[in-house]
């Protein structure tokens, strides 16, 4: 069973930074993609970043490009989302997701279909 656990959320003032972590266990995909999503209150879920474990440029949605950065931890089981210059519109429940990625370009384009999800963690940005 694939398990994903997010941590690092919380409340921050506009302009501040947070680092989210996603720790994965229970999967043995040689090629995998980990994505970050968010769901603001009353809005649709949005895919904001994705990283392929074999390297290459990560995917970023336009809404976070230049402010957020996704990276892999040295242990290969942890993926981070560094969020800088946070804005009130970044307030949302944030989720990580993981999936096998036999076609790396799908991960790098942000088009992969994820079937393994974490429970989510709240990020609140006040003005």
């Amino acid at each position: 069973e694939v398990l994903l656990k997010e941590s690092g959320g919380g409340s921050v003032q506009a302009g501040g930074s947070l680092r989210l972590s996603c720790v994965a266990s229970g999967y043995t995909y040689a090629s995998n993609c980990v994505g970050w999503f968010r769901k603001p209150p009353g809005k649709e879920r949005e895919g904001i970043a994705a990283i392929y474990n074999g390297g290459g440029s990560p995917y970023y949605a336009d809404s976070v490009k230049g402010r957020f950065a996704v990276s892999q931890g040295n242990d290969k089981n942890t993926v981070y989302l560094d969020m800088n210059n946070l804005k009130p519109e970044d307030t949302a429940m944030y989720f990580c997701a993981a999936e096998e990625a036999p076609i790396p370009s799908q991960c790098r384009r942000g088009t992969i279909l994820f079937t393994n999800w974490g429970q989510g963690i709240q990020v609140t940005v006040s003005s």
Side-chain angles (χ1 to χ4, degrees), residues 36-117:
W36 284 97
F37 292 75
R38 66 184 182 186
K39 189 179 185 310
K43 295 186 179 180
E44 297 286 316
R45 187 177 65 194
E46 174 191 17
I48 57 172
I51 187 166
Y52 175 63
N53 72 325
S57 299
Y59 163 80
Y60 295 103
D62 288 343
S63 56
V64 304
K65 203 171 289 184
R67 299 187 299 124
F68 290 13
V70 60
S71 60
Q72 274 190 312
N74 291 333
D75 64 359
K76 303 298 183 185
N77 292 324
T78 304
V79 170
Y80 300 103
L81 183 69
D82 288 296
M83 307 186 293
N84 300 303
N85 190 22
L86 283 160
K87 305 174 182 179
E89 52 263 43
D90 293 318
T91 294
M93 185 72 80
Y94 283 72
F95 302 86
C96 67
E99 192 58 48
E100 187 175 15
I103 305 174
S105 60
Q106 290 181 335
C107 184
R108 295 173 187 138
R109 290 197 303 264
T111 59
I112 200 162
L113 181 63
F114 290 95
T115 61
N116 304 294
W117 292 83

Side-chain angles (χ1 to χ4, degrees), residues 2-6 22-25 27 34 96-98 116-119:
V2 177
L3 296 175
L4 301 168
K5 177 68 175 174
E6 303 94 342
C22 174
V23 177
S25 62
Y27 71 76
V34 174
C96 67
N116 304 294
W117 292 83
Q119 299 261 341

